[in-house]
Amino acid sequence: QVHPVESGGGSVQAGGSLRLSCSASEYIYSTYLMGWFRQAPGKKREAVAAIDIDDSISYADSVKGRFTLSKDNAKRTLYLQMDDLKPEDTAMYFCVAILPSLLPGPRLAERVVADPSTLDYGYWGQGTRVDVSS
């Protein structure tokens, strides 16, 4: 298995919470930077959060303070806890895994979140839909 597998999307009202999960093979999980990005209809894709192999985490400004990235190493699973959801969070959410050597340099998680073009270097999951109603 190369591509991550997401789950956990759904429909909630504004202010609600959802937790997305992303599972990966042991090799991917332990070797690759992992993160989440989203894409809404008619909008550009946006990196949401990323965690590097040294566990450094970066969040997009739009989700800081509301979304939390975490890992369960025993389950090889990445979680995105989304609280205080807003209608503008509505999108398809994709888990991505990026081999760090393809984007050498420091602060990889920050660079991935800041530059969506870096997502082209990764393996994506099939996506999970999040709908937030007002």
Side-chain angles (χ1 to χ4, degrees), residues 50-62:
I51 181 167
D52 206 345
I53 56 175
D54 63 359
D55 288 340
S56 58
I57 297 176
S58 185
Y59 296 97
D61 288 342
S62 58

Side-chain angles (χ1 to χ4, degrees), residues 18-32:
L18 283 173
R19 188 177 77 161
L20 306 184
S21 301
C22 171
S23 62
S25 69
E26 182 173 355
Y27 176 72
I28 294 291
Y29 184 85
S30 61
T31 309
Y32 283 50

Side-chain angles (χ1 to χ4, degrees), residues 1 4-5 14 18 33 50 59 70 94 99 119 133:
Q1 174 187 333
V5 178
L18 283 173
L33 170 146
Y59 296 97
S70 63
F94 299 87
L99 184 63
L119 302 172
S133 58

Side-chain angles (χ1 to χ4, degrees), residues 2 6 9 15 24 29 35 39 42-43 47 56 68 80 85 87 91 104 110 112 130:
V2 174
E6 307 97 333
Y29 184 85
Q39 187 155 26
K43 294 186 178 180
S56 58
T68 304
L80 183 67
L85 282 161
E110 291 182 26
V112 168
V130 171

